[in-house]
Amino acid sequence: PFTPHFHTLRAGNMHYIDEGTGETIVMVHGTPTWSFLYRKIISRLSQKYRCIAPDHLGFGLSDKSDNFTYTPEEHARNLEQFITDLGLKDITLVVHDFGGPIGLSYALRHPENVRRVVIMNTFMWSLSGDAHFRQASKILGGTIGQLLYKHLNFSPRVMLKMSYYDKSKLTKKIHQQYLSPFPTPQSRISTAVLAKELIGSSAWFDFLWQRRAAIAGIPTLLLWGMNDTAFRPTELAKFESFLTNSTTMKIPNCGHFVQEECEDAGERIEEWMKGV
């Protein structure tokens, strides 16, 4: 429902949403989603804030280039360039899924430019020692998994649906918005790469974790779907273990996609922002 905007990066054209005026909120998605994921939150928060939600290259309406690696580290470089090029200052950073390490990488490098952080069902550390993630990456990042991702559009067709707790909220109309950005095997490389990089980028994730003190004191809202089969209460507790200025809101009967399943997510974020 929003006007599309595009910004040219070194690696291609990045689509983004830019709605409202006031303090700036930057919303960072993961896989296999795009800025569409934040539409309800944007509709609410753009009444008082400037809401910006980019699509990573390879996702949504952004370019899908053959000359881009699609690793989370490269996505993080793109996001940093995007924020710098647009001159965004004193931002509130909202992250989810792979958008966690991608967005929090910016906060770790530029904590002075991040006023607040909202974290939803994600991570910021190496998962290589966790059998839960190691097994998933072995299957999805292996030969068969990669074929499923590229030729059957497995990530938005199957994995996304499995990640909902209340599957009635994923209507056919909404589901189509997540399927349509990936019409061909070539267009699905971005999702296939991130499946491998869950473990493949462990060294970079560990590098982020080792620098966690840089963001420990930034006011942070942990808005967490408690029935997520991917990022569990275990991951929530790990964030809570080092964040010294955080508020936790546990959302019952909610899976991975808080933005879709928690109807008042925008209101919760708005109320929290008023007090910090």
Side-chain angles (χ1 to χ4, degrees):
F2 309 120
T3 301
H5 300 269
F6 290 88
H7 180 70
T8 301
L9 301 169
R10 290 184 296 272
N13 290 319
M14 175 179 276
H15 167 261
Y16 67 100
I17 299 302
D18 189 345
E19 294 286 320
T21 58
E23 290 182 36
T24 301
I25 305 174
V26 178
M27 305 178 188
V28 188
H29 71 84
T31 183
T33 57
W34 54 300
S35 53
F36 177 79
L37 177 69
Y38 287 107
R39 67 196 181 283
K40 290 186 283 188
I41 293 177
I42 292 171
S43 293
R44 173 74 183 203
L45 296 182
S46 62
Q47 298 173 37
K48 296 182 179 179
Y49 302 97
R50 181 186 181 189
C51 295
I52 297 178
D55 297 345
H56 301 305
L57 292 188
F59 292 86
L61 302 181
S62 291
D63 282 354
K64 298 174 175 63
S65 171
D66 295 336
N67 301 315
F68 186 63
T69 65
Y70 296 109
T71 64
E73 186 173 3
E74 288 301 315
H75 285 306
R77 288 196 182 101
N78 280 346
L79 179 67
E80 182 172 0
Q81 182 187 346
F82 173 80
I83 292 173
T84 300
D85 289 353
L86 267 64
L88 306 179
K89 302 296 183 183
D90 201 25
I91 66 174
T92 295
L93 191 63
V94 181
V95 301
H96 174 256
D97 189 80
F98 262 98
I102 292 168
L104 294 174
S105 171
Y106 179 85
L108 290 166
R109 287 174 56 82
H110 303 280
E112 75 289 343
N113 197 40
V114 178
R115 181 170 182 174
R116 311 178 192 86
V117 178
V118 178
I119 296 175
M120 297 184 245
N121 295 67
T122 183
F123 69 107
M124 193 194 74
W125 48 81
S126 170
L127 302 171
S128 60
D130 190 320
H132 171 74
F133 291 105
R134 194 169 60 246
Q135 183 65 19
S137 184
K138 182 178 179 180
I139 295 170
L140 300 176
T143 302
I144 294 176
Q146 291 292 287
L147 287 172
L148 290 173
Y149 264 66
K150 293 177 184 177
H151 294 281
L152 295 181
N153 208 11
F154 189 75
S155 187
R157 190 174 300 282
V158 178
M159 295 295 291
L160 182 139
K161 185 182 294 187
M162 290 173 57
S163 298
Y164 274 67
Y165 177 76
D166 182 356
K167 293 176 175 52
S168 69
K169 292 190 176 181
L170 183 62
T171 65
K172 288 184 178 179
K173 185 176 181 180
I174 292 172
H175 198 185
Q176 187 58 41
Q177 293 297 322
Y178 292 117
L179 293 168
S180 60
F182 308 107
T184 65
Q186 187 66 23
S187 68
R188 300 164 191 160
I189 291 175
S190 54
T191 63
V193 167
L194 288 184
K196 293 170 61 177
E197 294 306 311
L198 195 63
I199 299 299
S201 286
S202 291
W204 185 68
F205 297 145
D206 186 60
F207 174 71
L208 299 181
W209 179 245
Q210 296 304 320
R211 301 170 64 196
R212 62 191 180 277
I215 63 170
I218 296 176
T220 300
L221 173 63
L222 293 159
L223 189 62
W224 210 269
M226 296 304 290
N227 294 95
D228 187 357
T229 56
F231 299 105
R232 309 150 294 177
T234 305
E235 283 69 50
L236 170 61
K238 191 156 185 173
F239 276 112
E240 291 175 321
S241 73
F242 79 91
L243 294 170
T244 60
N245 190 11
S246 66
T247 300
T248 298
M249 294 186 188
K250 298 178 180 180
I251 314 299
N253 302 319
C254 180
H256 181 63
F257 295 103
V258 178
Q259 303 91 327
E260 292 282 9
E261 292 195 70
C262 180
E263 296 297 334
D264 64 345
E267 289 88 338
R268 287 171 179 261
I269 294 171
E270 182 180 9
E271 282 302 310
W272 174 77
M273 287 180 65
K274 288 178 182 177
V276 292

